Amino acid sequence: MGSRGCGMGDSGSLTSAYSDDSVLFRVLKHLGWDDLANIGYFTLPTLPVAALAGPVFFQRRLARRSLGLLNARPGQLVLDAGCGRGDTTARLGAAGCRALGVDIQPPQIDRARRRFGSRSGARFAVADAKALPRQAADIPLQDDSFDRVHCLEAAFHFGHEGRASFLGESFRLLRPGGRLVLVDVTSHMDQPMETLDPNGLVRRTWRFDDIEPCERYPLMASAAGFGTYRILDWTTPVLHRAAELSALFARTASTRAGRQALCVRWPGLRELDAREWDEVIAVVRAHQAIGRVTRYTAYVFGKPAREQRGGDRGRLRS
């Protein structure tokens, strides 16, 4: 998941997010979940491959699907909000876009610059996507100046008010006819997270307070001025399949023989002691407990195009 700031999430609490301070992220790193900080997009026939090979191929697949919805064209100016370690921003730059990746965490931007800073078309800056500065990486963030805004698996960090602010900032930034692709963890009911995650294991791991009900996002986008172009439910290929894999991992890790087998496949896991193994299992099971109400939704919102003559709003352009 991306790492943009806020809910439980002020910028300070996110400083150590997605880092080795969390035993879960240490485990995920050993499994290969490193450069791309998203869950992944899994199909049923490929689950055995994922169980043995790790998540990177599937994380790249999710990134490709998200960027595909963006329909960005060479030469267009694109904001990648919550860019994390920079992979999606670099992909946009490689496709000929002028891409600016922003993230509230300086370590993430430092890493993105080390990996992709020399590549053509990709720029990076530390900035809050909910309250953007006047410029970032020497690129003015003016009204009606960007063609596309992309936000993959980051907005759940923002909190409800922060998500509304991000939608408002995106609308301000986009040119008429521009497009916002927002892919996020959502819920299918408005239920307090405290009742679903009573020990806070999931919220502390990912640094968030709540998740937005999926039906509310289009209403919030409409309030910001957007029209809704597409809504895609990716719950099964992302969350449900990831849950199957994590349940398999937890069952295997629950026995001494299983842990030894996991360490043979991923030797870095040998650094975990018994307490840390138990902690990882508890976190995985806490994720499973909230799976009943959690969804994963991809939205394509459009800023209405101005009519050539008269009128403030026209149809959405693709």
Side-chain angles (χ1 to χ4, degrees):
M1 299 183 181
S3 53
R4 244 38 39 245
C6 301
M8 190 173 271
D10 58 20
S11 59
S13 69
L14 279 173
T15 301
S16 60
Y18 296 81
S19 74
D20 288 351
D21 289 355
S22 164
V23 67
L24 177 64
F25 289 114
R26 284 166 50 205
V27 168
L28 290 171
K29 182 176 179 179
H30 292 310
L31 298 181
W33 198 92
D34 189 20
D35 291 339
L36 280 156
N38 68 55
I39 299 171
Y41 189 101
F42 306 87
T43 54
L44 191 59
T46 61
L47 280 185
V49 177
L52 294 173
V56 175
F57 171 84
F58 306 94
Q59 291 178 299
R60 290 174 179 165
R61 176 186 285 172
L62 178 58
R64 286 195 302 270
R65 285 181 172 269
S66 183
L67 292 174
L69 294 175
L70 201 64
N71 193 27
R73 302 176 184 129
Q76 288 187 328
L77 185 58
V78 183
L79 178 71
D80 194 13
C83 69
R85 297 159 185 175
D87 182 87
T88 47
T89 310
R91 288 170 184 260
L92 288 164
C97 298
R98 295 175 292 142
L100 170 63
V102 299
D103 195 287
I104 204 169
Q105 288 192 57
Q108 299 281 54
I109 292 298
D110 288 344
R111 184 166 179 173
R113 285 171 174 160
R114 288 195 302 270
R115 296 178 64 215
F116 304 116
S118 62
R119 298 193 184 184
S120 174
R123 307 285 291 278
F124 301 95
V126 177
D128 187 345
K130 308 183 309 303
L132 292 164
R134 293 189 177 183
Q135 70 173 30
D138 297 325
I139 297 175
L141 301 179
Q142 299 172 341
D143 295 2
D144 301 339
S145 61
F146 278 69
D147 299 284
R148 299 286 190 267
V149 175
H150 179 246
C151 184
L152 171 59
E153 206 173 296
F156 74 98
H157 289 295
F158 296 171
H160 175 71
E161 295 301 325
R163 287 185 281 272
S165 296
F166 169 66
L167 288 167
E169 282 285 76
S170 297
F171 188 86
R172 175 188 69 79
L173 205 63
L174 283 167
R175 295 187 176 99
R179 176 179 294 194
L180 164 65
V181 169
L182 193 160
V183 179
D184 201 15
V185 180
T186 60
S187 67
H188 59 75
M189 64 176 64
D190 194 1
Q191 185 172 349
M193 283 299 299
E194 291 84 352
T195 64
L196 303 169
D197 180 36
N199 297 318
L201 292 178
V202 178
R203 286 170 290 154
R204 284 197 300 272
T205 297
W206 298 101
R207 305 299 204 276
F208 74 100
D209 283 331
D210 59 12
I211 50 180
E212 207 67 53
C214 55
E215 295 86 357
R216 188 186 291 162
Y217 254 129
L219 300 177
M220 295 168 63
S222 178
F226 284 108
T228 299
Y229 190 65
R230 294 183 73 184
I231 302 175
L232 298 168
D233 185 352
W234 289 350
T235 305
T236 294
V238 178
L239 293 184
H240 290 171
R241 303 267 161 75
E244 292 177 44
L245 291 169
S246 63
L248 174 61
F249 181 90
R251 288 195 299 270
T252 306
S254 297
T255 68
R256 182 176 180 181
R259 293 176 186 181
Q260 290 174 341
L262 290 170
C263 290
V264 170
R265 174 60 186 86
W266 291 285
L269 295 176
R270 293 192 180 104
E271 72 174 31
L272 272 65
D273 60 28
R275 180 191 61 79
E276 290 170 326
W277 278 110
D278 290 343
E279 183 180 345
V280 169
I281 293 168
V283 171
V284 168
R285 288 176 175 166
H287 280 75
Q288 294 169 344
I290 69 170
R292 299 183 306 276
V293 301
T294 307
R295 298 180 70 173
Y296 196 93
T297 314
Y299 302 93
V300 182
F301 300 125
K303 182 171 182 175
R306 296 193 183 103
E307 296 290 349
Q308 291 296 321
R309 295 182 180 179
D312 291 329
R313 295 174 184 265
R315 65 181 178 85
L316 302 184
R317 296 190 302 200
S318 61

